[in-house]
């Protein structure tokens, strides 16, 4: 049975489809059997990344209506990498979610990894697309809006006891005053696990537009993606300093003449400088605190255990048992969150 990975995001336009396609290609290059599934009903784009937009004859909607078999709907991108297109005619409101989930889970038996390109947000479409996922990757770009929306989705998942997610930082620069840095992103969002830090790469973006990702190689983007693949395969933690070295410098700073980096020595920093960062930081830190409080109950009981060591001695240890949150507690947390939002 395959490991099903749902690639999602708080907002659209952060590179979620690009990550799905490139990650599928990277896993295939490591010798895995991979299926890439487009779940963005009515707005599919994953076929463009593979350059297969003119080859889609049947989609998952046709399979559900029994207009074709699953084999007829699958497109073979390259050996050990297949693609299943989303319906372009119907949105999730007209899709029977259990039938879709059954089809994907049935296909998963023939692969090692299934990657689902999910619709953005946290609505019904997102919930139906990720319901069968073993893990979720939330793609975040270096902007405050992307980070804030990702924090909302993470809080939503924790509220519903879905803690099996990681974050992927995409399209980052090493030093660009117009974007949020990796260091600020990690410090403010405070994710429990990071599955990838991917650099801005003009060659990758050009290949995505041309539908030639499958033939693109030897780029800083795919070099960074190798660590994400290793994390998926073995759980190996990312080498953040090494990944930071792959991030490119700013393309231009002329558009941001009043940033901290461009203010001369002794000059006063304009009042409006950093207002967005200050407000966003405060809001996101509160959201992160809410997420951590919900994910890790403070009143968890401790259990004393004795571990037998190799030399025959005993070692006393204390294990914290995660207490289950009652419905009333969850209601209070939800009410507190709504009050905070207002």
């Amino acid at each position: 049975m395959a490991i099903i990975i749902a690639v999602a995001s708080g907002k659209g336009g952060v590179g979620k489809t690009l990550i799905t396609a490139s990650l599928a290609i990277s896993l295939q290059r490591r010798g895995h059997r991979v299926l890439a599934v487009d779940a963005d009903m009515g707005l599919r784009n994953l076929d463009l990344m593979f350059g297969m937009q003119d080859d889609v004859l049947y989609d998952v909607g046709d399979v559900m209506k029994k207009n074709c078999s699953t084999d007829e709907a699958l497109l073979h991108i390259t050996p050990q990498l297949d693609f299943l297109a989303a319906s372009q005619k119907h949105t999730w409101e007209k899709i029977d979610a259990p039938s879709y989930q059954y089809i994907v889970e049935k296909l998963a038996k023939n692969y090692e990894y299934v990657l689902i390109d999910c619709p953005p947000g946290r609505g019904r479409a997102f919930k139906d697309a990720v319901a069968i996922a073993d893990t979720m990757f939330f793609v975040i770009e270096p902007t405050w809006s992307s980070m804030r929306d990702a924090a909302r989705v993470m809080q939503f998942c924790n509220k519903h006891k879905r803690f099996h997610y990681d974050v992927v930082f995409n399209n980052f620069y090493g030093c660009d005053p117009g974007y949020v840095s990796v260091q600020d992103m990690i410090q403010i969002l405070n994710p429990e696990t990071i599955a990838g830090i991917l650099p801005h790469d003009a060659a990758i973006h050009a290949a995505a537009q041309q539908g030639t990702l499958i033939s693109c190689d030897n780029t800083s983007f795919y070099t960074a993606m190798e660590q994400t693949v290793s994390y998926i395969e073995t759980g190996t933690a990312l080498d953040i300093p090494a990944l930071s070295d792959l991030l490119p410098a700013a393309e231009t700073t002329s558009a941001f003449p009043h940033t901290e980096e461009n203010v001369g020595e002794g000059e006063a920093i304009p009042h409006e400088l950093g207002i967005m960062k200050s407000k966003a930081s405060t809001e996101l830190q509160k959201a992160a605190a809410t997420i951590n409080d919900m994910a890790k109950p403070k009143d968890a009981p401790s259990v004393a255990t004795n571990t037998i060591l190799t030399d025959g001695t005993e070692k006393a240890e204390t294990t914290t048992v995660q207490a289950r949150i009652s419905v009333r507690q969850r209601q209070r947390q939800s009410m507190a969150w709504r009050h905070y939002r207002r």
Side-chain angles (χ1 to χ4, degrees), residues 49-70:
M49 299 292 164
F50 294 124
M52 303 294 289
Q53 62 274 14
D54 297 328
D55 298 310
V56 178
L57 179 60
Y58 297 112
D59 55 47
V60 69
D62 294 309
V63 178
M64 295 170 63
K65 293 181 178 180
K66 301 188 183 301
N67 294 331
C68 68
S69 66
T70 52

Side-chain angles (χ1 to χ4, degrees), residues 155-186:
Q155 187 269 342
F156 174 83
C157 289
N158 281 326
K159 176 182 175 181
H160 293 85
K161 304 301 180 186
R162 298 181 65 86
F163 303 122
H164 54 292
Y165 62 78
D166 306 300
V167 299
V168 176
F169 297 142
N170 178 51
N171 201 32
F172 273 71
Y173 292 89
C175 179
D176 192 325
Y179 297 96
V180 185
S181 68
V182 170
Q183 291 74 22
D184 284 344
M185 188 74 73
I186 295 175

Side-chain angles (χ1 to χ4, degrees), residues 18 22 75 159 219:
L18 172 62
S22 56
L75 291 177
K159 176 182 175 181
T219 64

Side-chain angles (χ1 to χ4, degrees), residues 13-66:
V14 298
K16 172 173 49 63
T17 303
L18 172 62
I19 298 301
T20 304
S22 56
L23 184 55
I25 293 170
S26 295
L27 286 166
Q28 181 270 338
R29 289 174 178 172
R30 295 281 280 262
H32 299 292
R33 299 188 306 278
V34 184
L35 172 64
V37 178
D38 195 333
D40 200 352
M41 304 298 175
L43 295 171
R44 73 174 182 229
N45 285 311
L46 193 55
D47 54 334
L48 297 174
M49 299 292 164
F50 294 124
M52 303 294 289
Q53 62 274 14
D54 297 328
D55 298 310
V56 178
L57 179 60
Y58 297 112
D59 55 47
V60 69
D62 294 309
V63 178
M64 295 170 63
K65 293 181 178 180
K66 301 188 183 301

Side-chain angles (χ1 to χ4, degrees), residues 64 67 71 75 111-112 122 148 162 165 172 176 183 196 200 203 207 223 239 272 278 289 311 314 333:
M64 295 170 63
N67 294 331
D71 288 338
L75 291 177
Y111 300 90
E112 295 175 74
R122 58 180 187 181
R148 182 174 67 176
R162 298 181 65 86
Y165 62 78
F172 273 71
D176 192 325
Q183 291 74 22
H200 171 79
T223 300
D239 185 349
E272 66 274 11
S278 177
D311 58 1
E314 290 187 358
Q333 290 172 343

